[in-house]
Amino acid sequence: MAVSRTGQPPGIDELLERVRADYRRIEAREAYEAAQAGDALLVDIRYAALRDRDGLIPGALVIERNELEWRLDPRGSHRVPEATGHDRHIVVICNEGYASSLAAASLHQLGLHRATDLVGGFQAWKAAGLPVVPEPA
């Protein structure tokens, strides 16, 4: 079990600080440009109600959080076709950039060393004026 600076299990804020120290997070504009250039796979882990409410990022792969590791493990039997290798640059996107940090850390544990997450999540993407489309019915 991990221990915090106080000798107790870490709280969520300390845990986020620790996992984020292991990789470089990405801003919305940089993620957009990387995806447009074909250099990054955007993965939206928001649950359906948020996608229904706010829409989708065009071209982002939707994988809900509870399936993420199974779908993106390049050696897994349930992987998506986009899970082509451990060198794939994956940008995980949640609603505000918290759950995605933990998800990116989990992908690192699977050997996906270029996994990162979007600072501010979908809300930062939308605030930056980047493309959003309604979720198909």
Side-chain angles (χ1 to χ4, degrees), residues 28-92:
R29 177 68 53 189
E30 184 181 357
Y32 172 76
E33 291 170 359
Q36 290 298 301
D39 295 331
L41 174 64
L42 304 179
V43 179
D44 186 343
I45 64 169
R46 295 174 302 140
Y47 52 89
L50 290 176
R51 295 190 314 267
D52 289 343
R53 181 188 78 189
D54 294 335
L56 299 170
I57 295 170
L61 181 63
V62 174
I63 302 176
E64 290 199 19
R65 176 64 189 98
N66 63 324
E67 297 181 358
L68 187 69
E69 291 83 358
W70 285 268
R71 300 291 186 227
L72 292 180
D73 179 359
R75 295 183 299 171
S77 59
H78 293 87
R79 71 184 173 277
V80 294
E82 295 86 351
T84 57
H86 288 93
D87 283 339
R88 189 77 198 257
H89 184 200
I90 298 169
V91 180
V92 183

Side-chain angles (χ1 to χ4, degrees), residues 1-4 7-10 18:
M1 172 174 54
V3 177
S4 76
Q8 299 295 315
R18 285 182 186 183

